[in-house]
Amino acid sequence: MSKPLSGRKPSAKREAILDAAQVVFLDVGYAAASMDGVAARAGVSKATIYAHFTSKDQLFSAVIQRRCERSEAFQSIDSQGDVRAVLTGVARRLMTLLLSPEALAMYRLVVAESLRQPDLARAFYDSGPAAGKAQIAAIMADLADRGELVLDDPWVAADQFIGLLRTDLFMRTLLGLPLRDGQTLDGVTVGAVDVILRAFGPKR
Amino acid sequence: MSKPLSGRKPSAKREAILDAAQVVFLDVGYAAASMDGVAARAGVSKATIYAHFTSKDQLFSAVIQRRCERSEAFQSIDSQGDVRAVLTGVARRLMTLLLSPEALAMYRLVVAESLRQPDLARAFYDSGPAAGKAQIAAIMADLADRGELVLDDPWVAADQFIGLLRTDLFMRTLLGLPLRDGQTLDGVTVGAVDVILRAFGPKR
DNA sequence: TAAAAACTGAACCGCTTGGTTTAGTTTTGC
DNA sequence: GCAAAACTAAACCAAGCGGTTCAGTTTTTA
């Protein structure tokens, strides 16, 4: 009858609903997900859901927002050490993140709904691609300061580095297609680092 | 009463249905699109749709397939001339294709449905990303033969070249977010070509 | 011109959906 | 220990969906 307006105190039920909704949405997609399904999975009555969230849209949005806030993909990367080693570490980390089933599911969802729910697209972009790029740009700027790289603009370089990682391997995985023979995470990683080093390495 | 099994003769109604379905699907997404809506837009009765297509799924599939078959993105590219000019031409062409509203809408759709409709994902991949990559790889192989590039594997290089183009600009456009200041198609194009030339150019 | 095929439009079916309500039960806070 | 708040289960609603049917009209074809 009355909504728990109580700030965002992590009510147990509320969390259960969000957890269940996350699973259902990421699993079957936005449109195919039903509120009854979410309620069942959460072990909660449908009325309770509507006591916490005003609509399916809003629940969906809350799910994505929460997942976004939680992502701390690149905290604590040490930019010390050999350039190649640093870049390889970053690349491998980003690759495993990009290729993780949850990240892919989320990407599929957000991309599909982005035009219908611009706020969501923004939230996703800011806490996903933009945040990652910022971290990588910072690292590359560091390397440039140490003279290990020669960069006009670390942001552009970071952008290009990421692009070199999101290649065919990513596309195939995203689409659920089998990988080609010899198409490996490490292969792509090494290839990208090679290109970056040849393009921006100090040895000229 | 009887279905026009007549091969794939381009019946006028059939085309009208496909056209309308394409607009509707690409516009509102698969789930949100209704057969009544398609019928209305096609100026056709719903029964006629079901005389030509067995289900919503199949209609959707037919729409995507048709769009895929039609794409002849890179026919007639001359790999003669200055390396930089050739690469820039290719890049600009690919960028405009990638950023076109229809291509983006299609990408959103297919990515969203890929897990539910694997055949569709495959068809899209083969006639889209894979076909493009093949064309670009061929061009790069040409350039390598002429000694303008030094490549281990033109396929890998093509993959990386494409990756360098599908960067932040693409992501933002895909998500419907406004572009950053100074974020232009030409900027990305030039940047990608620069990297490729520095990484694979002959002057060492 | 006449039979066959394609098409219409609207009614219709069964089902699911998002969302609400109600009446009653449990949990919580003080 | 009690009142307020949270929750439940189930019924319920209106709407929209994919898909079918059908009686009647138009178009094709030869």
Side-chain angles (χ1 to χ4, degrees), chain A residues 23-101:
Chain A
V23 171
V24 174
F25 280 133
L26 291 192
D27 202 39
V28 305
Y30 177 77
S34 85
M35 297 299 268
D36 285 294
V38 173
R41 168 141 217 141
V44 141
S45 93
K46 201 163 56 157
T48 301
I49 295 186
Y50 281 98
H52 285 277
F53 305 92
T54 66
S55 69
K56 187 185 182 182
D57 265 35
Q58 200 232 332
L59 173 59
F60 180 56
S61 176
V63 168
I64 303 293
Q65 304 266 2
R66 191 183 61 154
R67 254 211 80 83
C68 285
E69 287 164 12
R70 285 186 179 174
S71 70
E72 306 151 345
F74 287 93
Q75 66 182 19
S76 77
I77 284 196
D78 49 343
S79 56
Q80 311 306 323
D82 178 42
V83 211
R84 171 163 245 118
V86 172
L87 291 180
T88 305
V90 170
R92 191 171 276 120
R93 202 141 162 178
L94 180 58
M95 283 293 276
T96 42
L97 173 66
L98 285 180
L99 296 176
S100 73

Side-chain angles (χ1 to χ4, degrees), chain B residues 114-184:
Chain B
S114 56
L115 297 192
R116 255 86 61 192
Q117 309 211 32
D119 299 355
L120 202 147
R122 165 110 265 155
F124 169 80
Y125 175 81
D126 285 342
S127 67
K133 183 170 153 185
Q135 302 252 18
I136 293 180
I139 292 168
M140 297 193 88
D142 247 40
L143 292 172
D145 284 348
R146 282 167 43 202
E148 302 279 11
L149 292 179
V150 182
L151 302 177
D152 285 347
D153 182 341
W155 290 83
V156 170
D159 208 8
Q160 291 172 329
F161 190 25
I162 296 172
L164 285 167
L165 295 171
R166 296 182 43 136
T167 47
D168 193 56
L169 173 68
F170 174 76
M171 175 103 292
R172 292 181 88 109
T173 313
L174 178 65
L175 293 176
L177 301 175
L179 298 186
R180 286 210 165 87
D181 283 353
Q183 203 170 31
T184 67

Side-chain angles (χ1 to χ4, degrees), chain B residues 6-16 18 52 66 70:
Chain B
S6 50
R8 295 271 80 78
K9 195 185 345 178
S11 143
K13 295 284 176 185
R14 192 190 172 88
E15 287 302 300
L18 283 170
H52 285 277
R66 191 184 61 153
R70 284 188 180 171

Side-chain angles (χ1 to χ4, degrees), chain A residues 82-84 147-150 196-204, chain B residues 198 203-204:
Chain A
D82 178 42
V83 211
R84 171 163 245 118
E148 302 279 12
L149 293 180
V150 182
I196 289 293
L197 284 180
R198 274 197 266 177
F200 301 120
K203 309 168 190 170
R204 183 136 305 265
Chain B
R198 274 197 266 175
K203 308 167 190 172
R204 181 130 305 266

